[in-house]
Amino acid sequence: AVADRDFDVVVIGGGHAGTEAAAAAARLGASVALVTPSPERTIGEMSCNPSIGGLAKGALVREIDALDGLMGVAADRAGIQFRVLNASKGPAVRGPRAQMDR
């Protein structure tokens, strides 16, 4: 039974951040338990406005992607709209953004 096992890492919450944390720990070879109320419904669940990108979050997503994270892969697979914000402005304020299908 799962209750009889020891884990190196226990992640509480299976939303998109929790799954990212659990996957990162597992890639490093840790034994991981991911605890969430409804695993069949909430693993990797996104918010009610599921978008990834923009100026600040876009930089974070690129860093997560460079570290072999899941967020970019999820965006590629679940994206329904991809655009560049502030496209008519200079490159310093442009940011890719993707709208996801939850």
Side-chain angles (χ1 to χ4, degrees):
V2 174
D4 297 336
R5 292 195 50 206
D6 290 327
F7 296 98
D8 299 319
V9 176
V10 177
V11 177
I12 307 298
H16 66 283
T19 54
E20 196 74 64
R27 276 194 301 277
L28 293 173
S31 172
V32 181
L34 178 62
V35 180
T36 190
S38 301
E40 63 282 347
R41 292 187 318 121
T42 60
I43 297 290
E45 184 176 52
M46 298 183 72
S47 67
C48 61
N49 182 13
S51 64
I52 294 175
L55 294 179
K57 194 172 182 183
L60 179 66
V61 171
R62 286 189 288 278
E63 289 178 15
I64 291 171
D65 191 44
L67 296 169
D68 197 27
L70 301 175
M71 191 179 286
V73 174
D76 289 343
R77 292 188 180 169
I80 55 175
Q81 180 188 41
F82 298 88
R83 55 183 300 211
V84 176
L85 301 176
N86 301 322
S88 64
K89 303 195 184 302
V93 295
R94 293 182 195 140
R97 181 175 148 201
Q99 191 76 22
M100 303 303 116
D101 181 12
R102 290 181 38 154

